[in-house]
Every structure is written in structure tokens, then in C-alpha cells.
Amino acid sequence: MNEKNSTLLIYTLLYFGFLYVPVLFLPIFSFNDANYMSFPLAGFTTEHYEEMWSKRNLHKALWASIKVGVVASVVSTTFALFAAKAFARYTFRGEKVSYGAIMMPFLIPEIILAVAILVIWVNLGFKLGLVPVTIGHTLFCTPFAMLILIARIEGFDFSLEEASRDLGENAWGTFFRVSFPLYLPGIVAALLLSFIISFDEFILAFFLTGSDATLPMYMWGQMRFVQKLPHVLALGAVIIVFTTFIVLLAFWLRNVGQGKVKKDIAIKL
Amino acid sequence: MNNSFIEINNISKHFEDVKAVNDVSFEIKEGEFFSLLGPSGCGKTTLLRLLAGFEYPTSGNLLIDGTDITALPPDKRPTNMVFQNYAIFPHLNVEKNIQFGLRKLGLSNDEIDKRVKGVLSLVKLEGYEERFSNQLSGGQRQRVALARALVRQPKVLLLDEPLGALDKKLRDEMQLELRTLQKNIGITFVFVTHDQQEAISMSDRVAVMNDGKIQQLSEPNELYKNPENIFVSDFIGETNFLKAETKSSDGEFINVSIEGLGEFKIKNNLNIAANSSDVVCSVRPESMMIAKVKSDWDICLDAKICQTSYLGEMTRFYVEAKGIDKIITVSSQHFDNQSFENNECFISMSLEDISLLNKK
Amino acid sequence: MIGFWRKIYSKYDNVKAYTLLSPALILVILAMVVPMALMLSFSMFTQVSMMEIDYTFTFQRYIDFFQKNLLVTLLIKSIKISFLVTLITLITAYPVCYYIAFYVKKNKMLWLVLLTLPFWTSYLLRVFSWKIILGTKGVINSSLINAGILSEPLTFLMYSETAVVITLTHAWAAFALLPLYVSLEKIDFSLIEAGRDLGLSRFEVFWKITFPLSLPGVIGAILIIFIPTVGDYVTPALLGGIDGRMLSNMIQAYFGKINNIPMGAASATIMLTTVVLITIIVSNVTKRLTQRLT
């Protein structure tokens, strides 16, 4: 179709506006020299950013979020890699049921997962804290990571693995010399995106952290006080920039590899 | 040289309820260029993958050079494979691809270098060491795949339709080259293809497969001249089938009544039962003669041309012959459709070109 | 012995596949299935006092739920809000995906990445930015008052159902955009040309060819938006006020302030069951409707 459709184009651009503009208000007001977020802007200041350096609880929450995020993303990406391989590679009995089961945490309202984990955790006599949050995040990130990895592995030519076996490598050698290097961009993308999901996750953390706040929990706590809002804005702006950077990196990685594979297939045909 | 080198004993492979390979037994000799030929889904690729170790048989066993390899994983077998899509590792260059399989052999660095150089010159890829898969043409990839497999000096080289992805001209060239290569290095080749011409022109022996079974195993010219059943006759070359009925038999010869042609006494090579209507006669288009006048051949029929197609080196005629209620195909290198008035013609055949086959 | 196991292992794809799946499946079983089963059994107990639970089985919590007007109202309101959000998200996202799938030629991936990028920024922050926009002293009100168009702030913007619906529509956009785009992108453009060639108008081509073929995406989007939004907690808590409160806020209260775990568990179970049932019905009806259309 070579014709243009300017009505649709304008609509699409407006939609982009709808998606982006609200998020952009955070950084704008984070430099505003006032406690209220209203126009006209009062004046430029970086004071809200400087304030972040001195907040002990903020640093603690940041560290907690990083710990939870790293463990959850590494574990869920590992589990997801195995699972993605199984789905992309084999046809087996109960495939659909297993797929549904692993995707389930992604579909079920998060509050239900949170409440269910809360009930069992407390009844087992454990203390709430970062451990149950990490478990919840791992559960929640696995389907995400799996979707990313399946997309990666599905385009994968499994005869490469067979070729490696045929050329005398055993299963482990094949994994490290052939599969892993070729999956790598997908794996890194899955790691980064899972980390971001965990880093930003709120509901599971809300029910399960107890007294060890993660970063979103910290922000939630601050949001109640009007005088602390500007500092939440600054923190939010930093998080948005950080997240955007990581996500763009992940997408770029995913596409770099994917493009190569596609070109490969194109040449083959 | 002539003892059986690969033994395939009662091999079956079932996928759920599909019998991909169904109780197959045969032997392949050392140094032979052996082809597995058949339509897609006939089980030829499964059989090759069973030899390579990517599949394990449901029952039966496999021997190479006297060793039972049935339960060995692919990396422990004395075979190497050239894959249909070549499976060149995209993250490694040509040299690294070829070295890939040498690491586990415990060779010295000098030996590795020597082997890689040798095999590169064998497949005429010197100077391409640094290239990656996406910088190579189809033909070059095929050579890399070949080099990568041969550098391990396997006892058996397995080839899974390696020429299928190439265009026709390149394919013809590679056929010749592969054949020469195989003669020079003397390794046993097991070659899978669905292209009958390819199998016939390259192989020492061919096994025609269908429905998971071997239909016929013989030298290429035998397949064409003496097909053992209706499938082989149809699959190799082109043919006309005529309805027939056997009458009395005296062992070597049998009386057959053929639709529209009458009753004849012909050789009974396949020991076909007497007084059966479960048989069919096959005559190749190119063994018949089409002419303007009657001939003195064993059989000569009045016929009318319905359609012709000009193929360059020959012309194909589709004719209606008296007493036969189907269109018969005849090929001729001497005539074209201009030669006949009112499309009237005579077609002739001799008895020795008619083969009698069982319907099943 | 090792040879025997290796043979078994290599012989059966089922064994290989489940070996690979086992970590993920065990995680799902231990961290989701078992806890949810436990939650289900807790919904049949009784909270006697702050610390004490009576473990005799009873369906009383479910009866309580349906006898409490507030809970039933909240359930219905949750469903209504989610339904609206799903519908609005789908309708607004569809043309965008249509445009990218059929009109954008170069750098499609870039467009798509840009569309989904806001989704990756913290959910909490996105909800919070809507608070900035819709608040009584927020962007909209302060601008309008400054421009002299209004003298009093618009109060219906904040702490209302409207606020919740707008925010959720923004928050879940990516989940409509991706499946819709994927299903539209898959459509072979020659089918649309064939439709035009066979004498259908643009409008007819859309309803008889494009839309039915994009249905998997539509149903996918319904699934992944409707179910989670019913259980959303943050948006109503931050922006809903009393008017925009949803069932999940009540569930939270049962596990928190009110401390009636059986009642909370029963409410959660009812929420999940209702949502799953409705989703099944909605996707079936959508399928039927389209069949009738074509």
C-alpha cells in the first residue's frame, strides 16, 4: 500500500502524546522550585536532587531493590531459558498446560498472588521481608523472560546444535560453544527487562516487604506528605531516565542479534 | 571392500503412531556412494538421522564397521553429517567452523593446521578462512559444511539433501564434484535426496523408499530398467500404466492380457501369480515409437494425438489409442507435431519394454 | 547404568522437555499453586479474634460476601471499571497498530519500541504523574484557572472513577498495542487487495477481512488487560477516592487494618473466579459476533 493516511498518522501522533506527556511532567516539576505541582512554574532548582544524597532510608531502599532485582532477574531468566528451550524445541504431552501454568502469574491479578504468598509465608512462621518479595518477583518475572527468550529461540536453527553434537561435542560443550553465544543477546535482554520489572514492582512488595522497604515502597511512603513530594519527583525522574536507558539497551541488544539471524535466513532462502 | 560396512538390522522408528521407518534391513558397503531416494515423508531423512544418532530407533540395531552404535550419542559415532541447510555456526568464521570438531580429537596444533589447510584446498575454499556464514554464497556454505565434516575423517559421511538449496546449474556442478571427491577420498557416503536424477547419476547403489519401507535396492540402471513394483516404476522416470490380467504361467514366461493390446507371452521376472487381475503393465514413453506409418514392432496401434508439448530435446505426445480408455504419453526425439496430418499416427512398442508389476 | 539413563533421556522428548521445564514448573507450584490452594482453604475458616482462627470448614465467608452490599457493589464496580478500561484501550490502540502495521514502511521496530517504552517506566510513577495532571491543583486545573477559563477547579477529575479509568487506560496501553500489532502485522496484505479486487468497499474489507483476522490479538489483549485490572490496587488507592475504590482495596484492608484473613481470602477467590468466568464469556462472545459479521 503506497498511499498515505494522514488522519491515521495524526491520530497516532496524538496517541504518542497521550502516552508520553504524563510521564514527562515528573522531570519537569522535579526542577520546579515549589511544593505544589501546578502551573506556572515557580523557578528552576536542583535542590530536590541534592536532597536525595542525604536520605538514609532512600539509600537503604535502593539497595534493597537492587538486591531483590538482581536475584529475581538472574533466577527467573535462568528458569525461563530452560523453559523457553523446552517449548521452542520439543513437542511433548501437556505442552499447552505447562505453558499456561508458567504464564499464569503474568495473567492473574497481582494482588491475588501477593495475598496467597502472604498467607502461606506467615503461616509457615516466617518473617515478612525481602525474601518473600524476591520469590514473588521471580514468579512474576519468569513469564516475561520466557516470552522474550521464546521469541529469540524460535528463530533459532536447531540443526546448529545437532551439527555440534555431530562434530563430537557433548551436550554441555554444545550449550557453551553454540547455544549460549547465540542466545546471549536474548538472555541479556531478558535479564535487563526482568530486573526493571522487579525494580518497579509495587503490589507484591506492598504486601510482602514488612519493614524492609523497596524503592517503590519508599516512594509510596513519601507520597503521603506534601512537602516530600518534590523529592519523590526528583527520584522518579532519575528512575525514569535509568529505566529508559536499560530498556533501550535491552531492545537494542535484542534487535542486533535478531537482525543478524534474519539476514542469515534471508540469505539461506 | 565388499563386506558389509554399515548394517541396518530390522530398524523401526515410530513417532507416536506414525511409522516413519518400518522394519528396514539392508547393508551398505565400504567406500560406496549410497543414496536413499524417495518422496518427502518416506522416512529417508529419519533413517539418516538414526545413523547420525539424532534419533534412536524404536527397535532394531545399527552396526558400523562391526561396532554396535545403536545406543551411542551422536558425538560418539564415527559418522559426520552435511546438513540440509548446512548449519554453519553463524558466530564463528569459516576456519573456526572447520576446527570446531577437532578439539575433542586430541590433535596437536600442527596437525590441526595441516588438516584444516588440507580440507580447505580439497573443497577449494582457500582464502575464505576469515569469512562468516552470512558472507558466503549457497555453494560456498555447502563447501564449508562438507569441509567441516570431512576434516574429522569420519568412517561414514552422511549427506541430507545437500544440493537441494542450490540453483540448477550449481547443483549439476556440485553433483559431479561430490562424486569425484568421494572417489578420491574413498569414504562411504550415505546421501539422501528426493531427486531421482541426482540419485541415479551419482550413486553406486540406490535404495528407493516409500511409507517407511525400502521399495527397491539396486544399482541405478536396474531401477529404471527393471522396477520391482508399481511405486518404483512410477517414481523413477515417467511411465504409462495399462490394465492387465495374468493367465497361465510356465515359470519363466507368463501369458498376459493387456487392455487394448491383446494377449501376449512375456517374461515373468518378478514371479507374478497366474490368473490374477491384481497386476498392471508399465511402458515408458521413451521406449515407444510414434510414426506416420505402421511398423513391424511386436505391437502397433492406431492412435490420435490429443496434445503435444515441445520440450527442446524431445517432444511429448499425448495420444488416444484404440481400445485404451486413457491418454498415453509417448516421447520422441525425431518428430514434432508438425509431422502429422489430422493428428493421426501409429504408436509401436516391443514386448521386452513392457514390464509386468503387482498392483500392491 | 549411565548408558541406560542416557538412552532413556535421549529417547523421549517428553523426558527432555520436562527436565528443562522442571525449575519453572516447581516455582509455579510452590510459589503460586500451593499458596493459592492454601488461600482457598483459608477462605473457609473463621477469624475468631485478632490472633485466632477457627479451622472448621464453612462456606459462611462466601455467604457473608454476598450479603454485604458494599463488597458486591465493589465487585461490580471493579468489573465495570475494568470492562471500560479494556474497551477504551482496545478502541484507542487499534488505529495506532493498524497505522504502524500497514502504513509505516521503515523502522517499524523503532515505532513499536517507542510505543511500549512508557510501559517500562515504573507503574507507580505513571499513576503518580496522572495525579499531577488531574489533581485539584494539578496541571489541568491550574492551567485552566491561569488562563481564566475556570474560576473553580474541576473536582470530578480527581478521586473519581473517571480518574481511575483514564489512568488505567494509559497504564495498560502496551498490553493492547503489542498483541494487536502482532496480529495485524501477520495479515497478508494481498488478502486485503484481494478483497478490494473482489468488489468490497474499504469499510467492508475492514469488517470482513482485517478485523476478523486480527481477532487473536483482540482476544489476547482482552485477556491480558481485563484480568489484571480487576485486581488493580495502586490506581484506585492513589486516584480513586471513595468513588473510585475497587474490590482490591477492600481485600487489602481485610489483610491489613481489619485483619480478617478468611474474609480477605474469600473475596480474593470470588474476584478471581468472576474474572476468569467473564473473560471466557467475553472472548467467546467476541468470536461469535465476528462470525456473524463475516
Side-chain angles (χ1 to χ4, degrees):
Chain A
M1 194 187 293
N2 287 320
E3 32 186 333
K4 294 216 159 75
N5 191 328
S6 36
T7 326
L8 266 183
L9 175 62
I10 290 167
Y11 177 81
T12 304
L13 293 178
L14 283 175
Y15 194 85
F16 267 95
F18 166 69
L19 287 182
Y20 276 86
V21 171
V23 184
L24 294 180
F25 280 116
L26 285 177
I28 292 174
F29 283 108
S30 69
F31 291 108
N32 189 26
D33 195 6
N35 275 346
Y36 285 102
M37 289 145 294
S38 57
F39 284 122
L41 296 170
F44 181 83
T45 175
T46 54
E47 173 196 334
H48 308 313
Y49 286 88
E50 284 149 27
E51 205 182 327
M52 287 196 292
W53 293 110
S54 59
K55 301 267 176 186
R56 265 287 176 88
N57 283 339
L58 168 64
H59 303 163
K60 224 180 112 191
L62 176 66
W63 181 233
S65 273
I66 291 174
K67 275 194 291 191
V68 172
V70 167
V71 176
S73 59
V74 169
V75 176
S76 61
T77 303
T78 314
F79 287 10
L81 177 64
F82 293 145
K85 171 104 195 243
F87 289 121
R89 179 73 213 261
Y90 302 107
T91 37
F92 52 96
R93 252 174 234 162
E95 194 173 342
K96 276 195 173 160
V97 176
S98 313
Y99 186 80
I102 296 173
M103 289 309 291
M104 203 55 101
F106 175 67
L107 267 184
I108 290 183
E110 252 182 287
I111 191 167
I112 290 179
L113 290 181
V115 163
I117 296 176
L118 176 75
V119 170
I120 199 166
W121 199 257
V122 170
N123 274 279
L124 287 172
F126 296 132
K127 257 189 77 183
L128 290 177
L130 296 182
V131 178
V133 178
T134 312
I135 293 174
H137 283 187
T138 309
L139 181 71
F140 191 62
C141 289
T142 305
F144 269 99
M146 192 175 79
L147 283 180
I148 294 163
L149 288 166
I150 284 182
R152 177 85 201 173
I153 297 177
E154 260 176 357
F156 185 79
D157 180 4
F158 287 108
S159 60
L160 293 174
E161 287 174 357
E162 288 184 344
S164 164
R165 295 304 303 275
D166 188 66
L167 293 167
E169 268 304 345
N170 55 29
W172 279 109
T174 298
F175 180 75
F176 285 112
R177 292 182 71 189
V178 178
S179 324
F180 187 73
L182 290 171
Y183 296 162
L184 196 62
I187 293 174
V188 177
L191 272 175
L192 291 176
L193 294 178
S194 315
F195 178 82
I196 290 298
I197 289 170
S198 162
F199 193 76
D200 286 340
E201 201 285 329
F202 176 74
I203 295 183
L204 286 163
F206 181 78
F207 280 88
L208 301 173
T209 44
S211 54
D212 308 330
T214 59
L215 207 53
M217 283 304 296
Y218 171 80
M219 287 195 286
W220 174 261
Q222 304 288 302
M223 277 177 196
R224 274 177 292 174
F225 311 106
V226 177
Q227 67 275 23
K228 289 191 174 165
L229 275 181
H231 135 76
V232 176
L233 285 177
L235 177 59
V238 173
I239 292 177
I240 286 176
V241 171
F242 168 72
T243 316
T244 309
F245 172 73
I246 298 279
V247 172
L248 284 178
L249 182 67
F251 276 121
W252 177 74
L253 267 171
R254 215 179 57 164
N255 284 342
V256 161
Q258 213 77 318
K260 219 183 200 170
V261 172
K262 265 188 201 143
K263 213 161 111 203
D264 221 46
I265 293 165
I267 289 172
K268 237 172 243 164
L269 297 175
Chain B
M1 184 72 181
N2 276 336
N3 351 349
S4 55
F5 188 62
I6 305 176
E7 283 178 48
I8 293 161
N9 297 325
N10 304 100
I11 286 289
S12 291
K13 175 66 184 178
H14 302 174
F15 295 105
E16 305 284 315
D17 46 357
V18 181
K19 293 175 179 168
V21 176
N22 190 3
D23 195 18
V24 164
S25 299
F26 61 92
E27 287 163 0
I28 298 172
K29 295 173 201 152
E30 187 166 10
E32 196 171 29
F33 197 122
F34 189 92
S35 287
L36 290 165
L37 171 67
S40 61
C42 71
K44 57 189 191 304
T45 299
T46 307
L47 195 52
L48 195 77
R49 291 170 60 81
L50 284 163
L51 280 170
F54 301 136
E55 311 282 356
Y56 290 83
T58 312
S59 62
N61 63 343
L62 296 165
L63 277 78
I64 291 181
D65 203 8
T67 318
D68 190 332
I69 57 154
T70 319
L72 287 183
D75 46 315
K76 301 277 187 292
R77 296 191 183 203
T79 60
N80 280 117
M81 179 136 149
V82 175
F83 288 80
Q84 187 166 15
N85 58 6
Y86 312 138
I88 310 294
F89 302 121
H91 59 305
L92 303 176
N93 63 19
V94 168
E95 192 179 12
K96 292 264 165 59
N97 260 285
I98 295 174
Q99 286 172 353
F100 189 95
L102 294 178
R103 204 158 87 165
K104 286 273 162 103
L105 296 184
L107 303 173
S108 69
N109 284 344
D110 285 353
E111 175 67 14
I112 288 179
D113 271 359
K114 219 175 92 190
R115 276 211 201 179
V116 172
K117 283 222 172 75
V119 80
L120 274 170
S121 88
L122 190 68
V123 299
K124 300 174 195 149
L125 272 183
E126 293 118 320
Y128 287 87
E129 289 87 345
E130 302 295 321
R131 298 257 189 124
F132 283 86
S133 158
N134 54 9
Q135 298 165 312
L136 297 173
S137 72
Q140 290 164 338
R141 284 152 180 251
Q142 206 244 355
R143 287 160 197 268
V144 176
L146 200 59
R148 189 177 67 180
L150 286 175
V151 79
R152 284 172 53 86
Q153 305 179 344
K155 285 182 177 167
V156 179
L157 186 74
L158 307 169
L159 301 102
D160 186 7
E161 307 221 14
L163 308 178
L166 307 178
D167 58 52
K168 190 172 177 330
K169 198 140 193 199
L170 193 56
R171 195 160 61 215
D172 291 346
E173 254 174 65
M174 286 306 296
Q175 280 181 15
L176 201 66
E177 223 177 288
L178 265 183
R179 180 65 180 151
T180 322
L181 183 80
Q182 192 266 339
K183 281 280 159 284
N184 290 341
I185 56 178
I187 290 177
T188 311
F189 276 33
V190 182
F191 186 91
V192 159
T193 179
H194 67 272
D195 183 332
Q196 37 132 340
Q197 212 130 29
E198 203 166 274
I200 286 177
S201 68
M202 295 168 81
S203 324
D204 295 318
R205 286 194 307 154
V206 179
V208 181
M209 284 188 78
N210 192 37
D211 287 340
K213 286 205 172 270
I214 303 285
Q215 301 296 325
Q216 184 167 352
L217 196 167
S218 55
E219 286 167 15
N221 59 342
E222 280 293 299
L223 286 178
Y224 180 77
K225 276 198 208 147
N226 296 316
E228 282 171 15
N229 59 37
I230 193 163
F231 174 80
V232 176
S233 168
D234 197 22
F235 190 71
I236 308 288
E238 261 188 280
T239 197
N240 295 293
F241 289 117
L242 301 172
K243 278 184 205 157
E245 221 170 298
T246 56
K247 307 285 185 195
S248 59
S249 163
D250 65 355
E252 200 188 343
F253 286 91
I254 189 162
N255 285 312
V256 189
S257 152
I258 306 174
E259 177 197 18
L261 273 57
E263 200 170 313
F264 305 96
K265 195 174 201 173
I266 63 175
K267 260 203 162 178
N268 188 6
N269 293 329
L270 301 170
N271 282 322
I272 284 164
N275 301 317
S276 158
S277 56
D278 253 358
V279 295
V280 72
C281 279
S282 141
V283 196
R284 302 237 177 242
E286 53 276 21
S287 64
M288 285 188 272
M289 182 177 78
I290 187 162
K292 279 185 270 192
V293 292
K294 273 202 165 166
S295 71
D296 57 353
W297 289 24
D298 296 338
I299 298 162
C300 184
L301 300 169
D302 254 332
K304 205 168 169 116
I305 299 168
C306 327
Q307 210 173 344
T308 56
S309 56
Y310 177 68
L311 302 174
E313 74 264 35
M314 63 163 79
T315 305
R316 192 173 287 156
F317 296 89
Y318 300 93
V319 302
E320 270 173 358
K322 234 184 218 166
I324 302 175
D325 66 358
K326 67 191 276 190
I327 306 284
I328 295 200
T329 317
V330 185
S331 309
S332 168
Q333 297 180 325
H334 308 296
F335 293 102
D336 55 38
N337 58 339
Q338 311 293 315
S339 320
F340 299 94
E341 272 171 42
N342 299 329
N343 290 331
E344 275 164 19
C345 66
F346 292 93
I347 54 172
S348 319
M349 54 193 104
S350 67
L351 283 180
E352 62 195 47
D353 290 326
I354 300 177
S355 17
L356 181 64
L357 302 164
N358 274 321
K359 262 189 191 164
K360 297 219 163 167
Chain C
M1 199 58 189
I2 289 164
F4 170 76
W5 283 112
R6 185 157 65 197
K7 201 168 163 186
I8 292 282
Y9 181 77
S10 324
K11 233 178 168 173
Y12 299 105
D13 279 0
N14 283 349
V15 181
K16 280 188 198 173
Y18 279 104
T19 315
L20 288 168
L21 283 181
S22 51
L25 283 177
I26 290 169
L27 175 72
V28 167
I29 290 166
L30 290 185
M32 188 185 87
V33 178
V34 173
M36 278 174 64
L38 191 72
M39 185 184 81
L40 187 69
S41 40
F42 261 83
S43 73
M44 294 180 215
F45 300 151
T46 313
Q47 188 92 31
V48 186
S49 67
M50 255 342 228
M51 296 304 289
E52 211 181 324
I53 287 176
D54 175 3
Y55 293 101
T56 34
F57 270 102
T58 166
F59 287 106
Q60 193 55 41
R61 298 295 83 70
Y62 292 91
I63 298 167
D64 289 352
F65 184 96
F66 288 106
Q67 278 174 348
K68 284 188 184 166
N69 268 333
L70 175 66
L71 290 179
V72 179
T73 318
L74 283 181
L75 177 67
I76 293 171
K77 199 199 276 171
S78 297
I79 290 166
K80 189 182 120 196
I81 290 179
S82 299
F83 183 78
L84 274 175
V85 169
T86 312
L87 195 69
I88 296 172
T89 315
L90 274 176
I91 293 173
T92 48
Y94 200 99
V96 176
C97 299
Y98 189 89
Y99 182 79
I100 296 176
F102 293 128
Y103 289 95
V104 171
K105 291 284 172 311
K106 277 181 259 169
N107 296 328
K108 278 192 186 196
M109 271 317 281
L110 184 70
W111 281 71
L112 217 60
V113 169
L114 286 178
L115 271 182
T116 45
L117 194 57
F119 157 76
W120 293 100
T121 59
S122 162
Y123 185 42
L124 188 63
L125 288 173
R126 274 178 293 150
V127 176
F128 183 60
S129 44
W130 279 102
K131 195 173 176 172
I132 300 178
I133 296 173
L134 302 174
T136 332
K137 291 181 177 174
V139 173
I140 293 184
N141 278 324
S142 65
S143 317
L144 289 178
I145 292 173
N146 266 311
I149 299 171
L150 288 179
S151 52
E152 288 287 299
L154 298 168
T155 43
F156 68 87
L157 282 178
M158 192 59 178
Y159 303 124
S160 66
E161 238 179 83
T162 322
V164 174
V165 172
I166 294 176
T167 311
L168 284 176
T169 305
H170 180 255
W172 291 89
F175 288 102
L177 291 164
L178 280 179
L180 285 179
Y181 171 78
V182 169
S183 66
L184 281 168
E185 175 63 26
K186 269 191 200 151
I187 298 176
D188 182 354
F189 196 73
S190 58
L191 291 176
I192 292 171
E193 289 175 332
R196 295 283 282 162
D197 184 62
L198 295 170
L200 298 186
S201 70
R202 276 165 172 282
F203 187 72
E204 284 170 319
V205 165
F206 179 77
W207 282 111
K208 297 197 168 186
I209 299 173
T210 320
F211 185 70
L213 286 174
S214 68
L215 211 57
V218 174
I219 290 172
I222 292 177
L223 271 171
I224 44 181
I225 298 175
F226 185 74
I227 302 180
T229 43
V230 171
D232 191 50
Y233 171 78
V234 184
T235 312
L238 264 178
L239 298 171
I242 290 174
D243 178 36
R245 214 159 34 150
M246 289 165 73
L247 185 58
S248 28
N249 306 80
M250 212 48 215
I251 294 176
Q252 195 277 322
Y254 279 124
F255 281 92
K257 283 193 297 253
I258 305 176
N259 192 31
N260 187 340
I261 291 163
M263 199 58 219
S267 310
T269 312
I270 289 171
M271 178 201 269
L272 188 61
T273 323
T274 323
V275 161
V276 170
L277 282 179
I278 292 178
T279 321
I280 293 170
I281 295 168
V282 169
S283 42
N284 275 328
V285 168
T286 321
K287 253 184 229 164
R288 288 274 161 75
L289 269 179
T290 333
Q291 273 164 10
R292 199 170 299 168
L293 262 173
T294 43

Coordinates of all heavy atoms in Angstrom, one line a residue, chain C residues 23-54:
Chain C
P23 N 12.4 -26.6 36.7 CA 12.6 -25.4 37.6 C 11.4 -24.4 37.6 O 10.9 -24.1 38.6 CB 13.9 -24.7 37.1 CG 14.5 -25.7 36.2 CD 13.5 -26.6 35.7
A24 N 11.0 -24.1 36.4 CA 9.9 -23.1 36.3 C 8.6 -23.7 36.8 O 7.8 -23.0 37.5 CB 9.7 -22.7 34.8
L25 N 8.3 -25.0 36.5 CA 7.1 -25.6 37.0 C 7.1 -25.7 38.5 O 6.1 -25.4 39.1 CB 6.9 -26.9 36.3 CG 6.4 -26.9 34.9 CD1 6.2 -28.3 34.3 CD2 5.0 -26.1 34.8
I26 N 8.2 -26.1 39.0 CA 8.3 -26.2 40.5 C 8.1 -24.9 41.2 O 7.3 -24.8 42.2 CB 9.6 -26.9 40.9 CG1 9.6 -28.3 40.5 CG2 9.8 -26.8 42.4 CD1 11.0 -29.0 40.6
L27 N 8.7 -23.8 40.6 CA 8.5 -22.5 41.1 C 7.0 -22.1 41.1 O 6.4 -21.6 42.1 CB 9.2 -21.5 40.3 CG 9.0 -20.0 40.6 CD1 9.7 -19.7 42.0 CD2 9.5 -19.1 39.6
V28 N 6.3 -22.4 40.0 CA 4.9 -22.1 39.9 C 4.1 -22.8 40.9 O 3.2 -22.3 41.6 CB 4.4 -22.3 38.4 CG1 2.9 -22.3 38.4 CG2 4.9 -21.3 37.5
I29 N 4.4 -24.1 41.1 CA 3.7 -24.9 42.0 C 3.9 -24.4 43.4 O 2.9 -24.2 44.2 CB 4.1 -26.4 41.9 CG1 3.6 -27.0 40.5 CG2 3.6 -27.3 43.0 CD1 4.1 -28.3 40.1
L30 N 5.2 -24.2 43.8 CA 5.5 -23.9 45.2 C 5.1 -22.4 45.5 O 4.6 -22.1 46.6 CB 6.9 -24.1 45.5 CG 7.4 -25.5 45.6 CD1 8.9 -25.6 46.0 CD2 6.5 -26.3 46.5
A31 N 5.3 -21.5 44.6 CA 5.0 -20.1 44.9 C 3.7 -19.6 44.4 O 3.2 -18.5 44.8 CB 6.1 -19.3 44.2
M32 N 2.9 -20.4 43.6 CA 1.6 -20.0 43.2 C 0.5 -21.0 43.5 O -0.5 -20.6 44.2 CB 1.6 -19.6 41.7 CG 0.3 -19.0 41.3 SD 0.3 -18.7 39.5 CE -0.4 -20.3 39.0
V33 N 0.7 -22.2 43.0 CA -0.4 -23.2 43.2 C -0.7 -23.5 44.6 O -1.8 -23.4 45.1 CB -0.1 -24.5 42.4 CG1 -1.2 -25.5 42.6 CG2 0.1 -24.1 40.9
V34 N 0.4 -23.9 45.4 CA 0.2 -24.2 46.8 C -0.3 -23.0 47.6 O -1.3 -23.2 48.3 CB 1.5 -24.8 47.4 CG1 1.4 -25.0 48.8 CG2 1.9 -26.1 46.7
P35 N 0.3 -21.8 47.4 CA -0.2 -20.7 48.2 C -1.7 -20.4 47.9 O -2.5 -20.1 48.8 CB 0.7 -19.5 47.8 CG 1.9 -20.1 47.3 CD 1.6 -21.5 46.7
M36 N -2.0 -20.5 46.6 CA -3.4 -20.3 46.2 C -4.4 -21.3 46.8 O -5.5 -21.0 47.2 CB -3.6 -20.1 44.7 CG -3.2 -18.7 44.3 SD -3.2 -18.4 42.5 CE -4.9 -18.7 42.1
A37 N -3.9 -22.5 46.8 CA -4.7 -23.6 47.4 C -4.9 -23.3 48.9 O -6.0 -23.5 49.5 CB -4.1 -25.0 47.2
L38 N -3.8 -22.9 49.6 CA -3.9 -22.5 51.0 C -4.9 -21.4 51.2 O -5.7 -21.4 52.1 CB -2.5 -22.2 51.5 CG -2.5 -22.1 53.0 CD1 -2.6 -23.5 53.7 CD2 -1.2 -21.4 53.5
M39 N -4.8 -20.4 50.3 CA -5.7 -19.2 50.4 C -7.1 -19.7 50.3 O -8.0 -19.3 51.0 CB -5.4 -18.2 49.3 CG -6.1 -16.9 49.4 SD -5.8 -15.9 48.0 CE -6.8 -16.6 46.7
L40 N -7.3 -20.6 49.3 CA -8.7 -21.2 49.1 C -9.2 -21.8 50.4 O -10.3 -21.6 50.8 CB -8.7 -22.2 48.0 CG -10.0 -22.7 47.6 CD1 -10.8 -21.6 46.9 CD2 -9.9 -23.9 46.6
S41 N -8.3 -22.6 51.1 CA -8.8 -23.2 52.3 C -9.0 -22.2 53.4 O -9.9 -22.3 54.2 CB -7.8 -24.4 52.8 OG -6.5 -24.0 52.6
F42 N -8.2 -21.2 53.5 CA -8.4 -20.1 54.5 C -9.7 -19.4 54.3 O -10.3 -18.9 55.3 CB -7.2 -19.1 54.4 CG -6.2 -19.3 55.5 CD1 -5.2 -20.2 55.3 CD2 -6.3 -18.6 56.7 CE1 -4.2 -20.5 56.3 CE2 -5.3 -18.9 57.7 CZ -4.3 -19.8 57.5
S43 N -10.2 -19.4 53.0 CA -11.4 -18.7 52.8 C -12.6 -19.5 53.4 O -13.7 -19.0 53.5 CB -11.7 -18.5 51.3 OG -12.0 -19.7 50.7
M44 N -12.3 -20.7 53.9 CA -13.4 -21.5 54.5 C -13.2 -21.6 56.0 O -13.8 -22.4 56.7 CB -13.4 -22.9 53.9 CG -13.8 -22.8 52.4 SD -13.8 -24.4 51.7 CE -13.3 -24.0 50.0
F45 N -12.3 -20.8 56.6 CA -12.1 -20.7 58.0 C -12.9 -19.5 58.6 O -13.5 -18.8 57.8 CB -10.7 -20.7 58.4 CG -9.9 -21.9 57.9 CD1 -8.5 -21.7 57.6 CD2 -10.4 -23.1 57.8 CE1 -7.8 -22.8 57.2 CE2 -9.7 -24.2 57.3 CZ -8.4 -24.0 57.0
T46 N -12.7 -19.3 59.9 CA -13.4 -18.2 60.5 C -12.4 -17.4 61.4 O -11.6 -18.1 62.1 CB -14.5 -18.6 61.4 OG1 -15.3 -19.6 60.7 CG2 -15.4 -17.4 61.8
Q47 N -12.4 -16.1 61.3 CA -11.5 -15.3 62.2 C -12.3 -15.1 63.4 O -13.3 -14.4 63.4 CB -11.2 -14.0 61.5 CG -10.1 -13.2 62.2 CD -8.7 -13.4 61.7 OE1 -8.5 -13.7 60.6 NE2 -7.7 -13.3 62.6
V48 N -11.7 -15.6 64.5 CA -12.5 -15.5 65.8 C -12.1 -14.2 66.5 O -13.0 -13.4 66.9 CB -12.2 -16.7 66.7 CG1 -13.0 -16.6 68.0 CG2 -12.4 -18.0 66.0
S49 N -10.8 -14.0 66.6 CA -10.3 -12.7 67.2 C -9.1 -12.3 66.4 O -8.7 -12.9 65.4 CB -10.0 -12.9 68.7 OG -8.9 -13.7 68.8
M50 N -8.4 -11.2 66.9 CA -7.3 -10.7 66.2 C -6.3 -11.8 65.8 O -5.8 -11.9 64.7 CB -6.6 -9.7 67.2 CG -6.7 -8.3 66.8 SD -7.2 -7.9 65.2 CE -6.0 -6.6 64.8
M51 N -5.9 -12.7 66.8 CA -4.9 -13.6 66.6 C -5.4 -15.0 66.3 O -4.6 -15.9 66.0 CB -3.9 -13.7 67.8 CG -3.2 -12.4 68.1 SD -2.3 -11.8 66.7 CE -0.9 -13.0 66.7
E52 N -6.7 -15.2 66.4 CA -7.2 -16.6 66.5 C -8.1 -16.9 65.3 O -8.9 -16.1 64.9 CB -8.0 -16.8 67.8 CG -7.9 -18.1 68.3 CD -8.8 -18.2 69.6 OE1 -8.8 -17.2 70.4 OE2 -9.5 -19.2 69.8
I53 N -7.8 -18.1 64.7 CA -8.6 -18.5 63.6 C -9.3 -19.9 63.9 O -8.6 -20.8 64.4 CB -7.8 -18.6 62.3 CG1 -7.5 -17.2 61.8 CG2 -8.5 -19.4 61.2 CD1 -6.6 -17.1 60.6
D54 N -10.5 -20.0 63.6 CA -11.2 -21.3 63.8 C -11.1 -22.1 62.5 O -11.6 -21.6 61.5 CB -12.7 -21.0 64.2 CG -13.5 -22.3 64.3 OD1 -12.9 -23.4 64.1 OD2 -14.7 -22.2 64.5

